[in-house]
Amino acid sequence: MSLTLAPADQQISRELDRAHVFHSWSAQAALNPLVIAGGCGSTVWDFEGNEYLDFSSQLVNTNIGHQHPAVITAIKEQADVLTTVAPAHANLTRGHAAQRILDRAGPSFSKVFFTNGGADANENAIRMARLFTGRDKVLSAYRSYHGATGAAIVATGDWRRVPNEYSRGHVHFFGPFTYRSEFWSASPEEESDRALHHLERVIQAEGAGSIAAILIETIPGTAGVIVPPPGYLAGVRAIADRYGIVLIFDEVMAGFGRTGGWFAFQSLAEDGEVALPDLITFAKGVNSGYVPAGGVIIPSMIAETFDDAVYPGGLTYSGHPLAMAAIVATLDAMEAEGIVANADRIGREKIALGLADLADRHPIIGDVRGLGVFWALDLVADRSTREPVPAAVIGKLKSAMLSQGLLPFFADNRLHVVPPCVVTEAEVDKAISIYDAAFAAL
């Protein structure tokens, strides 16, 4: 721990928070937030010195871990040179950041539009698709989360969309989910075929000529780490091509190492064939959230639309120098230290096996799915009916894990296992033992 601990600050932090901070997605009166005073790697701690293994990566974004020295140094050095600059100017650090992102996305892409985070990345991808096609509607999945701003929240499929439906032109469909199929499928292949048929019928029913974009999370994250079955991404690509629809992959949560590859669509290549989107949105892992940043990765065919026509969008902090320095340092460190390869290896050799062993011993675990450092356990009251466990059970599990020094990530009836990409074998072993004890205590 590099932080000087002052136990009195624990209570002060909580009191200031409760008095003055308004929290997202919460009923304010019921909150009792955990105080985080500092962190390093895969561990965080409070002012009293209690340590927690961070298997939430905060909001599945600290891919490079907490306080990576190379990234901290880069931010400090950039602050000495230029702390802020308007997006209308050229800036060396911004150029380097864009170049490094494009190097990892591949030669099909030529430009990066920088945003402040994932929600406004999706906002701008939707805007680009509408302007490029001259169409209005955007299709997205019911099991999805795309952000909390105007169009992004309406593109979102979960309950948070419903109180916020002020944006026009959004249509939802069911994506594939083998464990909880909407299509009465008996295999992953059948699930893929039926989900693709459903998507195409929605397009036909809505009028293909009215649809600007299909927006999907390459691997739906908050909705349950739902890895698409074989053939699905390629099938969506083919449908988009057939109807002249822009295909947007939301890689905000799944990108930059989380799946054991630079991007999830690359990790999901089948027989060496990659299903390429037209636009990619990103944020979170690109610099582990050290300074807010996100963006849209754009191919030439769309970027050139705005060579002579003004692109009607922008952000004051687009390509902020401190965020750009954090991106450059993060991607360089991930490359040099083999961090993406570590996420891939530890996912295959440790997390997958450890979670499968837990499922063998605990009937509450109905399904295990994921790759890299991106996993979910579907927790059920009954394996035969697949009935989700009630909220009270989740509350007990969360309390048990926190008491044993692990910071978990729960969403609905699921435990998401999402440590930083720098997680070690010993840390995975410790987390698995804490999960095991928490399940056993039920």
Side-chain angles (χ1 to χ4, degrees), residues 26-41:
S26 301
Q28 305 300 305
L31 292 173
N32 183 27
L34 177 70
V35 175
I36 301 295
C40 183

Side-chain angles (χ1 to χ4, degrees), residues 183-214:
F183 307 111
W184 298 276
S185 301
S187 70
E189 292 75 17
E190 193 171 66
E191 179 75 1
S192 180
D193 289 344
R194 293 182 179 185
L196 289 169
H197 174 76
H198 162 69
L199 172 59
E200 187 159 21
R201 288 294 294 124
V202 170
I203 290 169
Q204 292 166 347
E206 288 293 330
S210 71
I211 298 168
I214 300 170

Side-chain angles (χ1 to χ4, degrees), residues 141-366:
Y142 279 110
R143 293 187 179 97
S144 70
Y145 180 73
H146 295 290
T149 54
I153 192 62
V154 185
T156 291
D158 71 27
W159 66 269
R160 288 170 286 190
R161 174 188 88 253
V162 179
N164 293 291
E165 291 182 305
Y166 304 114
S167 178
R168 72 171 196 272
H170 291 269
V171 178
H172 292 85
F173 61 92
F174 284 105
F177 187 7
T178 305
Y179 186 65
R180 297 188 180 278
S181 176
E182 304 294 336
F183 307 111
W184 298 276
S185 301
S187 70
E189 292 75 17
E190 193 171 66
E191 179 75 1
S192 180
D193 289 344
R194 293 182 179 185
L196 289 169
H197 174 76
H198 162 69
L199 172 59
E200 187 159 21
R201 288 294 294 124
V202 170
I203 290 169
Q204 292 166 347
E206 288 293 330
S210 71
I211 298 168
I214 300 170
L215 168 62
I216 59 173
E217 292 175 275
T218 319
I219 299 175
T222 305
V225 190
I226 305 169
V227 180
Y232 184 72
L233 293 182
V236 176
R237 174 72 273 173
I239 290 171
D241 288 341
R242 187 149 55 244
Y243 295 103
I245 298 169
V246 171
L247 177 57
I248 306 168
F249 282 177
D250 178 341
E251 294 253 358
V252 169
M253 187 175 284
F256 296 102
R258 178 63 43 190
T259 64
W262 285 110
F263 291 95
F265 71 87
Q266 296 164 345
S267 297
L268 295 171
E270 297 180 36
D271 299 322
E273 294 294 320
V274 176
L276 275 176
D278 296 310
L279 296 170
I280 306 168
T281 60
F282 68 90
K284 292 186 184 285
V286 72
N287 67 357
S288 289
Y290 282 29
V291 181
V296 186
I297 305 173
I298 314 166
S300 295
M301 67 173 183
I302 294 179
E304 290 169 359
T305 302
F306 304 101
D307 281 353
D308 299 310
V310 173
Y311 175 65
L315 299 146
T316 299
Y317 304 116
S318 174
H320 191 282
L322 298 183
M324 300 300 101
I327 288 173
V328 172
T330 295
L331 299 185
D332 286 355
M334 292 180 93
E335 186 90 57
E337 299 172 22
I339 290 171
V340 177
N342 181 70
D344 175 55
R345 181 190 62 80
I346 214 155
R348 287 183 289 102
E349 297 179 3
K350 294 293 292 184
I351 299 177
L353 299 178
L355 297 182
D357 181 61
L358 287 178
D360 286 341
R361 292 184 291 108
H362 297 288
I364 191 175
I365 301 173

